[in-house]
Amino acid sequence: MPTPPRIPVCLAIAGSDSGGGAGIQADLKAFAAAGVHGTTAITAITAQNTVAVTAVEPVGPRMIVAQVQAVLEDLGVDAVKVGMVGAVPAIEAVAEALDLLPAGTPVVVDPVMVAESGARLLMPEAQAALIELLVARATVVTPNLPEARALVGDEEEELSPGELARTVHALGPRVVVVTGGHGEEGSDLLFDGARLIEIPGERHPDGAAHGSGCTHSSTLAAALALGHDPLEAARIARETAGRAVRDGLRDLGAGAGPVDVLGLATRGR
């Protein structure tokens, strides 16, 4: 019998969400839904639910690198998603870990700065390191509108989404996808240095959005691991994240409920 094809392996480098809605937990659910095997390197442990982040405990830089090494040496990695990194030592450790990847491994960077509850997850002094060490080397970077404005210093909100995409691209990533969940239209914008492409999608203001950004970036990384080009991967990610918000678990928790990328709400009904 022919040998079945190898299942791609994706690595999420991000923080843990004890409420299970975002972070590493959302990444693993998105990887499973996309049909890839998920692995992890945890950068921080958060005490978190749908209402607030009440405590954050950073993981030591050596441990971050060791987690990546352990995965690479045994399982291999076909694509990486980088999420919450928190502070400069963690960013430096993640950059060191990325140097261990085989050349050409796709890296998706989701520049997580603020949780859905409003808690800040990136220290202000770490932003320059995030840009220099991670954003600049990304295959795809996936900021939402507030994150894109923060990355380029557009505090007065003078730039249009298209101008934002071009300005973030100038920081060094190969492709920028500015996600539209925080905008009026709901469409994502992709800029690859030559083309500015709108990726339409419906907004679901009555949905549950906790973990939507993590789900989007992890799905995009999984699609790259499966062989899709960045544009097609971004389209798959937009559709998947939108559906997960639409079907989100509104009745869980007192705050923004978690997205439902696995269709849990409809199982057994």
Side-chain angles (χ1 to χ4, degrees), residues 2 24 59 71 85 101 107 109 128 146 163 195 202 214 224 229 237 250 268:
I24 286 290
V59 171
V71 172
V85 286
L101 297 171
V107 175
V109 174
E163 291 169 329
R195 301 173 299 170
E202 293 184 19
C214 304
L224 293 175
D229 64 36
R250 302 168 186 80

Side-chain angles (χ1 to χ4, degrees), residues 79-112:
V80 176
K81 172 265 172 82
V82 179
M84 174 190 171
V85 286
V88 173
I91 293 170
E92 293 174 341
V94 171
E96 180 181 340
L98 294 181
D99 287 337
L100 303 175
L101 297 171
T105 303
V107 175
V108 176
V109 174
D110 180 15
V112 177

Side-chain angles (χ1 to χ4, degrees), residues 135-176:
V135 170
R137 69 188 299 166
T139 308
V140 183
V141 63
T142 62
N144 58 34
L145 283 168
E147 290 164 346
R149 294 192 189 283
L151 286 173
V152 302
D154 184 34
E155 292 85 358
E156 302 300 321
E157 300 186 6
E158 296 178 349
L159 298 177
S160 69
E163 291 169 329
L164 276 176
R166 293 176 184 273
T167 308
V168 173
H169 186 268
L171 298 175
R174 176 180 162 197
V175 177
V176 175

Side-chain angles (χ1 to χ4, degrees), residues 13-17 22-25 27 41-46 48 83-85:
I13 305 175
S16 169
D17 173 3
I24 286 290
Q25 288 81 354
D27 297 333
I42 298 175
T43 59
I45 300 170
T46 71
Q48 183 176 172
M84 174 190 171
V85 286

Side-chain angles (χ1 to χ4, degrees), residues 67 81 93 102 118 133 182 201 227 230:
Q67 291 174 85
K81 172 265 172 82
L133 298 178
H182 289 73

